[in-house]
Amino acid sequence: MRAQSSATKPSSIAVGTSPAAPASHRSGTLQAALGVVAFSLTFPATAWGLEGFGPWALVAVRSVLAAALAGGWLLFLRVRLPERRHWAGLAVVAAGVVLGFPMLTTLALETSTTAHAAVVVGLLPLTTALFSALRMGIRPSRTFWAAALAGAAAVLAFTVAQSGGALTTADGYLFAALVVCAAGYTEGGRLARIMPGWQVIGWALVCCLPLTVPAAVVALSYEPVVWNVHGVAGVLWVAVGSQFLGLVVWYRGMAAVGIPKASQLQLAQPLLTLVWSVLLLGEHLTAAAPLTAAAVLVCIAVTQRSRS
């Protein structure tokens, strides 16, 4: 009798929980979409932040603010410290996502438009897929590599054409940002299989505090701060919206609907950034920007299908 009751118990649970599955999927899709919207505003918000803060101060302050929020959340939920074997991976996430990508893109945006940066960084999903293949030992198909190379070629051609036939220092910063962020995303994705994704970015932010707090103090003392609405709003958004809340809803959504479906939503991010650059910054787009972004979107879509 005991064996019979235990055998019937899982089926009753499955029947009871099945109606909630569609609602959970819709909620996950909505959260992932909100994360994409938050990320698409990062470059325009950074451009605003640079109106009031120097580049080093901007990156350090945003990291400290985001770490304070993440640390408070971790304390409130009484989350235990990660195991020692996970800290090396968290250091890679911190170096790539918390420090490297914000710093390099901020330096690039001192001389580059957000539209230009959005198109170049539109290669991030492809770069991340490449790092993931190398890190996880996955062998993508020939279709994947053809689409990835086509996307890279489109962005490189756009970059050279927009820069007058040669790559600029800002382009160098953007391409370096792709590399370090892809490494951080790949390692974060691996760790997210072991712990909740929001905890991965949370601990990465917290472990950077010994570096970011002194950096913020030094940077603020050397780089003059001009207090204005755009500067403050930009810093607050990249800290609270992009680097914390955006990642929280993104990882929650990704956990609910799965990485492949969530990544499809992220295909719209470069195009959204182009829209924000016009609406918030008054930038004038050349025809090449949206066309290149759309070409990269198609290439990424092909890589996603070839991997599944």
Side-chain angles (χ1 to χ4, degrees):
M1 292 297 292
R2 179 175 299 176
Q4 182 179 359
S5 62
S6 61
T8 58
K9 188 175 183 179
S11 62
S12 65
I13 294 176
V15 172
T17 55
S18 57
S24 175
H25 190 277
R26 287 193 297 269
S27 175
T29 301
L30 176 60
Q31 290 185 85
L34 288 174
V36 171
V37 173
F39 300 151
S40 71
L41 280 161
T42 299
F43 284 175
T46 300
W48 272 9
L50 287 171
E51 294 182 20
F53 294 80
W56 297 98
L58 175 60
V59 174
V61 169
R62 70 177 277 184
S63 297
V64 171
L65 291 176
L69 285 172
W73 193 295
L74 291 167
L75 286 173
F76 177 76
L77 296 178
R78 298 181 180 179
V79 178
R80 294 182 179 179
L81 286 171
E83 298 179 21
R84 183 178 298 178
R85 60 193 177 96
H86 299 323
W87 281 105
L90 288 171
V92 175
V93 177
V97 179
V98 178
L99 299 177
F101 185 79
M103 186 70 257
L104 290 167
T105 53
T106 300
L107 290 173
L109 287 171
E110 283 197 293
T111 56
S112 172
T113 65
T114 59
H116 182 94
V119 173
V120 176
V121 178
L123 277 178
L124 183 57
L126 295 180
T127 313
T128 303
L130 173 61
F131 270 76
S132 178
L134 296 174
R135 180 71 172 88
M136 308 299 180
I138 302 171
R139 294 184 177 180
S141 65
R142 292 181 179 179
T143 302
F144 170 90
W145 290 116
L149 290 174
V155 169
L156 184 60
F158 168 82
T159 303
V160 172
Q162 294 293 303
S163 302
L167 296 179
T168 65
T169 301
D171 294 324
Y173 286 140
L174 291 172
F175 284 120
L178 285 174
V179 174
V180 298
C181 190
Y185 274 2
T186 299
E187 198 64 21
R190 184 186 69 81
L191 289 172
R193 298 179 178 180
I194 306 168
M195 65 181 75
W198 72 269
Q199 291 184 22
V200 174
I201 189 62
W203 288 118
L205 284 164
V206 170
C207 76
C208 285
L209 280 173
L211 293 175
T212 54
V213 170
V217 173
V218 173
L220 288 172
S221 64
Y222 280 92
E223 294 179 340
V225 176
V226 179
W227 296 102
N228 55 61
V229 175
H230 278 184
V232 174
V235 170
L236 289 178
W237 180 261
V238 293
V240 179
S242 301
Q243 202 154 17
F244 182 64
L245 294 180
L247 285 167
V248 169
V249 294
W250 169 249
Y251 281 125
R252 284 174 63 89
M254 191 165 53
V257 303
I259 295 175
K261 290 187 177 180
S263 63
Q264 294 295 326
L265 296 173
Q266 202 171 24
L267 299 182
Q269 186 174 321
L271 294 174
L272 282 174
T273 299
L274 294 181
V275 173
W276 296 130
S277 69
V278 173
L279 295 179
L280 299 179
L281 303 175
E283 293 185 359
H284 298 284
L285 301 181
T286 62
L291 288 176
T292 306
V296 172
L297 188 153
V298 172
C299 292
I300 296 173
V302 172
T303 63
Q304 293 293 334
R305 287 183 176 274
S306 67
R307 295 174 73 200
S308 58

